[in-house]
Amino acid sequence: MHDLLQRLQRRAEQRLPALTRYRRPESLPIELHRRRIYILPTGFGLGFSVLLLVMLVGALNYSNNAALLLTCLLGAASAASMLVAFRSLDGLRLDHVRAGHAIAGEAMELVLAFHSRRPRSAIRLDLADGTAAFALDGREAIEVKLHLPTHRRGWQPLPRLRLWSTWPLGLFRAWSWLHPDQAVLVWPRPEAAGPAPQAMVDDARHMRLHRGEELAALRDYRAGDPQRHIAWKASARHDDLLVKDFEQPRSQPQWRLDWRRLHGMDDEARIARLARWLNEAQSQRCSYSLWLPGNDIGSGSGPLHYARCMDALAGLP
Amino acid sequence: MSLARTRKTPLVAVGQRSFDLLSLSVAFVLAVNAAHLPWWLSLALAFTLGWRWWQRRQRSGRVPAWIKLPLLALLTLAVVVQYGNLFGRAPGTALAIGLLTLKLLETETRRDVRVGAGFACFTLMTALLFDQGLVSTVVVALGLLPTLATLRALEPAQPSTGMRRALLPELTLLAAALPLALLAFLLVPRLSAPLWGAPARDQARTGLSDRMSPGAFTELLIDDSPAMRITFDGSPPPPDQRYFRAFVMARYDGVSWSYRDAPGAPPVALDVTHAVDYQIRLLPTHRRVLPTLDVPMAAPPDAAMRRDRVVIAARPVDGALTYALRSATEYRLEPRLDADRRRWLQLPTGFNPRTLALGQAWRQHYGNDDAAIVRAGLALFHDGGFRYTLAPAPLGRDAMDDFLFDTREGFCEHYSSAFTVLMRAAGIPARVVTGYQGGYWNKLGNYLLVRNSDAHAWSEVWLAGRGWVRVDPTAAVRPERVSLGAAAAAGDQLGWYRSDWLQGFRNRWDVVNRWWDQGVVAFDALRQRALLTPFGIRDTDTTTLGLLLAIGSTLFIALGLAWALRRRQPREPLRNAWRELEHKLARRHIVRRVGEGPQHYLSRAARALPTQREELVELMKQYLDLRYAHDEPTPESVHAFRRAVRDFRVVNVVK
């Protein structure tokens, strides 16, 4: 049944290009307007219209004009709610989409920033199997968080999003498609287990100083130096303040991760192994460098460095 | 379209707000329907509602089936016991309202709440099947507010507001929908005949019965709902002549007087001296008799005149009915009484011996002077220590004896009954007439309002040469009854809510009810067909109505769309001026390309229009300065740029 419906849907989209006009990827920002907002009654709306019909026939049959007036009022209010549903989407703008980090197979957090000039309520955004509901106050932009499932590493284009609302009474559903022309980068999934990186660079060079508490030199005060590092006694003999300069700790070993040393493996396996090593290096707070074909990333540490290395791995052909 | 994709919504309990609003809607339904439900059922349902509300506040969850099912059985049983069956208007309504209340017991999910809200709309409407008055219609329409608010509260992600503010958007929605609703109301084609059985007859609680026994009116006399409204062509008759006849009762069986319908017999003769034309708007009585002022000269359409000039309609009056009549107010009714004389002298044997004896004594005392006997009868009531009360002491088997010689208290039924028996005992043809007397003359609307509490009974005696003469013995006891009306006669027996100022206010307010009744309730198929008469179309048929409805709806849809599509553009004078410049240049086929910046565009324009090079370069400089040099350009400089753009004329290049 589900497949049949999907087939019919695809068929309809081929036959009626008007339906798919706004489903091609577009560049951001996307502002919704009347040509791309669709409205249909919901199941409840259909049921409600049957109820209205029953009330109408009853009122007419008993020639009860007060009841007829009530029915007309309810019917007119329902019809008016359709326009309200349309207005809740019309003029809404998707400004930008920000993607988080995720490794293949895990959900990636997307942050979509919406903006509107007037307050709106109960707008819902469908992505894959998730739905997020949000309201806008008409002044500030709002950020909606959604999770995008990922399957494999590399650039993954954003899927089509459905923005919909049944505001105010749930009788009509207004919806529109958003297909931002943007892709997100999915990091490779590290292998589960494997050998440790063999090639460590000789550590002695980096163990020159330890703990970082040895005084290396005195230098001039620069704005922002902590007060307790000021060498008060030495400063007293000079015109300017002097600051004790400490050697930075270099206790961790440095790893040099190299694509070329992983012989006899296919590309994906190499990537998975490198990803695992990157993870280990990051968790051990090592300093590491990475060599990839066409990309040589120098030694470094910290989350930014890690992200840069993972991006490079993910972006490999 | 992925709409077809069915999404399994998990059973998520709705929030407290939706449930509160739904409970409020159901409470409203109970309140507007309470008037016609048995009080114990209303009370039980209200208790169930309150309990469920309290219970769900403690802990959300459905009420278990072992509570629900017995309650359902109990409800069905209660309706069957009260009404005899489950179908028909009254039992159906009671059942629907009961089911709605029980639905609350299992209301947990969005779907439940939606079903409940839809059903609440329906049960609100049922209240109008019993009372179509202006006030009840407005109250019922206000009942839509919590129902619609319930539906709105189901939507996720909305700014939180207080309970009172929650109803405000619905009020706006209803107000916005009102014009379309009125149009639809005017133009939805009415049925000329019902599709299925006419509404089941209400119990004959209101209206005059064709039987009268002393004490039977009491219920009617405290029912001050309007019975009919009368407009007169010309001035209305004075208060003491406002007698509206319904039934003429000949037969007395010792307990009650009754009217026997005799179709076929021609109406009795009538010599008219003075007549009045008038229209009566009779509210539903579920009876066939049509009250008329005094003695009608002809019957309205769909009704027949019986022998004693009683007007009987072809069908019971189940909806409000308007009829025009001409009645004699000065007349001689049935100048010759031949064979019928015995009928008007009938008395049951073996009842009221003392009354009969008194009548016969009068006959012996006054001889042939009938008028003197009538005067003697009235004098008895006037001077005999009789008291007018709506709560008289009960009477025994010889009811008239008890009344005349023992209790001496009662109201119009007692007096007219006793007087008629006395006259018959004295050998004067006499009869009891029931109907309405009095009414309130509404100066604002120029009509006479007659309430059910104006129901009255009086006597007619036949005097040789004068025919039937109306005698009102109640007036002898309590003249205010005739000159001022029923409420005045009852004095303070009717309770605080019938006090003078309130009654006066209610009488004046009735002009609004009348307007509502004429404009809305009485707008039937006939009136609808005459809708376009002012525009020269005599008969508006269903097709025309449908067409008009379509055109009108389209107009309203266009209005609504105009509202929905309206976009408020932020005021950006600089951008507007730039656009104006673009338009001017576009007329010379210098169109800005997609993604072309202002500098490039204007340079290109300057090359294309060498004669205006300086102007364009100046404009470009100004624009770039305004656009990019400041965060917020000063209004003066923007104004200057706008003026420059306006003064810029594209000159035709001479080739």
Side-chain angles (χ1 to χ4, degrees), chain A residues 12 17 26 43 49 55 73 80 85 105-106 111 139 150 152 168 181-182 235 241 260 262 286 288 311-312:
Chain A
E26 302 167 78
S49 47
M55 286 169 71
L73 187 63
E106 288 176 3
V111 178
R139 292 184 300 275
T150 60
R152 42 183 300 274
D181 185 13
Q182 193 169 333
S235 302
L241 284 176
R260 289 164 296 189
L262 299 167
C286 295
Y288 50 90
D311 281 352

Side-chain angles (χ1 to χ4, degrees), chain A residues 2 5 9 13 19 23 31-34 40 44 48 51 54-74 76-77 79-81 83-84 86-87 90-91 117-118 121-122 124 126 128-129 131 133-135 160 162 166-170 173 175 177, chain B residues 1-5 7 89 110 114-115 118-119 121-122 124-125 128-130 132 137 140-141 144 148 151-152 155-159 170 173-174 177-178 180-182 184-185 188-191 194-199 516 520-524 560-561 563-570:
Chain A
H2 188 78
L5 284 173
Q9 178 184 338
E13 285 176 7
L19 278 181
R23 306 176 123 201
E31 182 161 340
L32 300 187
H33 53 80
R34 65 193 159 87
L40 274 182
F44 173 60
F48 199 78
L51 175 82
V54 168
M55 286 169 71
L56 179 74
V57 171
L60 284 177
N61 187 63
Y62 290 117
S63 48
N64 189 315
N65 278 343
L68 183 66
L69 196 58
L70 186 80
T71 311
C72 289
L73 187 63
L74 198 56
S81 85
L83 296 176
V84 178
F86 168 80
R87 255 175 83 86
D90 184 40
R117 279 201 218 98
R118 57 166 187 267
S121 302
R124 278 174 273 190
D126 281 0
D129 287 330
T131 301
F134 59 97
R160 204 167 57 190
R162 182 166 60 170
T166 54
W167 183 258
L169 301 180
R173 182 209 302 269
W175 79 96
W177 294 106
Chain B
M1 292 188 295
S2 299
L3 271 187
R5 188 170 62 199
R7 195 179 292 274
R89 195 170 50 165
R110 291 156 57 88
R114 285 183 165 161
V115 169
F119 206 40
C121 291
F122 181 77
L124 275 174
M125 191 192 82
L128 294 177
L129 295 181
F130 296 88
Q132 312 194 42
T137 308
V140 166
L144 290 179
L148 294 182
L151 292 179
R152 186 185 292 254
E155 298 294 317
Q158 41 183 312
E170 316 313 328
L173 183 67
L174 285 187
L178 199 57
L180 180 60
L182 289 179
F185 173 76
V188 167
R190 302 298 196 275
L191 301 175
L195 291 176
W196 68 87
W516 176 258
V520 177
V521 177
F523 189 79
D524 53 4
L561 279 180
W563 169 76
L565 294 177
R566 191 192 51 176
R567 292 247 188 128
R568 207 169 295 145
Q569 289 295 346

Side-chain angles (χ1 to χ4, degrees), chain B residues 128 207 211 231 260 278 287 329 359 447 460 465 600 602 641:
Chain B
L128 294 177
R211 297 180 74 82
T231 49
R260 201 164 39 188
Y278 59 96
R287 300 192 172 276
T329 50
Y447 68 98
E460 281 184 345
H600 188 270
L602 287 186
F641 178 70

Side-chain angles (χ1 to χ4, degrees), chain B residues 6-40:
Chain B
T6 47
R7 195 179 292 274
K8 276 264 165 61
T9 41
L11 291 177
V12 183
V14 293
Q16 188 65 40
R17 166 60 68 86
S18 322
F19 192 82
D20 283 353
L21 280 167
L22 185 62
S23 304
L24 184 64
S25 315
V26 176
F28 216 106
V29 167
L30 281 178
V32 294
N33 280 291
H36 61 83
L37 286 184
W39 62 268
W40 48 268

Side-chain angles (χ1 to χ4, degrees), chain A residues 10 22 35 37 91 128 145 297:
Chain A
R10 232 171 292 132
Y22 288 106
R35 284 168 177 268
I37 297 173
K145 292 197 175 92
I297 301 172

Side-chain angles (χ1 to χ4, degrees), chain A residues 258-292:
Chain A
D258 198 329
W259 172 272
R260 289 164 296 189
R261 295 197 196 168
L262 299 167
H263 301 293
M265 301 169 75
D266 66 343
D267 287 359
E268 288 304 316
R270 283 179 176 186
I271 290 170
R273 176 152 301 168
L274 284 173
R276 183 173 63 84
W277 284 348
L278 282 175
N279 277 355
E280 282 172 8
Q282 180 67 16
S283 61
Q284 290 170 23
R285 301 193 177 183
C286 295
S287 168
Y288 50 90
S289 63
L290 178 67
W291 192 96
L292 292 174

